Amino acid sequence: MRILEDGDLRSARQLAEDVFGIDRESATLVYPEAAPDRPSERSVVGLFELDTLQTAAMLSFGKPISTVWAAGTRAQGQRRGHGLRVLRQVSAAAFEAVGDGAVCGLASAAGNALYDASGAEIVEYWQMWSRPRWLLGS
């Protein structure tokens, strides 16, 4: 497992397309290149198995809250501990970068199970919208 270099992002974007069912342009937004003037503020963490990226997650550092987004594992890599290992790595990286604080993530039911397995304390749930409220009526 490691922080992905810009050259690895093609694999991460392909993973996002496969796991989340999104197009290439959206995958580029999910896993962007690090900002050259702020490389420590955002990282994409990846877990490889036999030179194939199995799991990736984007981590954005902040104080007191860091965020983990777009954490996904390929179907053939699921139920093998990859997601849990990446979650622990992301949490450790956030602590190393900013110290005490929280890690906020948008999680599916499977993601919530990983938080439980990691021993994390879920302190609150937020309502998330897939589109602005004013569009929901249309």
Side-chain angles (χ1 to χ4, degrees):
M1 182 169 4
R2 60 185 163 84
I3 302 291
L4 300 185
E5 304 279 331
D6 285 346
D8 297 316
L9 292 179
R10 182 171 166 222
S11 294
R13 291 171 183 151
Q14 183 62 54
L15 182 142
E17 289 178 51
D18 297 344
V19 170
F20 305 120
I22 59 176
D23 60 33
R24 177 64 49 124
E25 186 176 330
S26 297
T28 300
L29 296 172
V30 170
Y31 296 131
E33 292 182 13
D37 56 333
R38 299 180 316 278
S40 65
E41 289 184 17
R42 183 178 61 237
S43 300
V44 178
V45 178
L47 184 141
F48 289 82
E49 187 175 76
L50 301 175
D51 296 328
T52 301
L53 182 65
Q54 294 295 322
T55 304
M58 193 276 289
L59 175 62
S60 183
F61 300 110
K63 191 163 181 92
I65 298 174
S66 294
T67 56
V68 59
W69 303 106
T73 300
R74 293 187 188 285
Q76 66 268 26
Q78 292 177 358
R79 314 269 329 142
R80 298 180 61 198
H82 297 332
L84 185 57
R85 288 177 55 202
V86 168
L87 178 60
R88 287 182 172 148
Q89 178 66 29
V90 162
S91 297
F95 181 78
E96 184 178 317
V98 298
D100 282 336
V103 176
C104 173
L106 174 61
S108 62
N112 283 334
L114 288 178
Y115 286 118
D116 291 340
S118 74
E121 177 186 4
I122 298 175
V123 295
E124 67 183 74
Y125 290 93
W126 294 350
Q127 176 65 53
M128 300 299 291
W129 297 96
S130 60
R131 45 164 68 173
R133 288 183 187 185
W134 56 269
L135 284 176
L136 292 176
S138 59

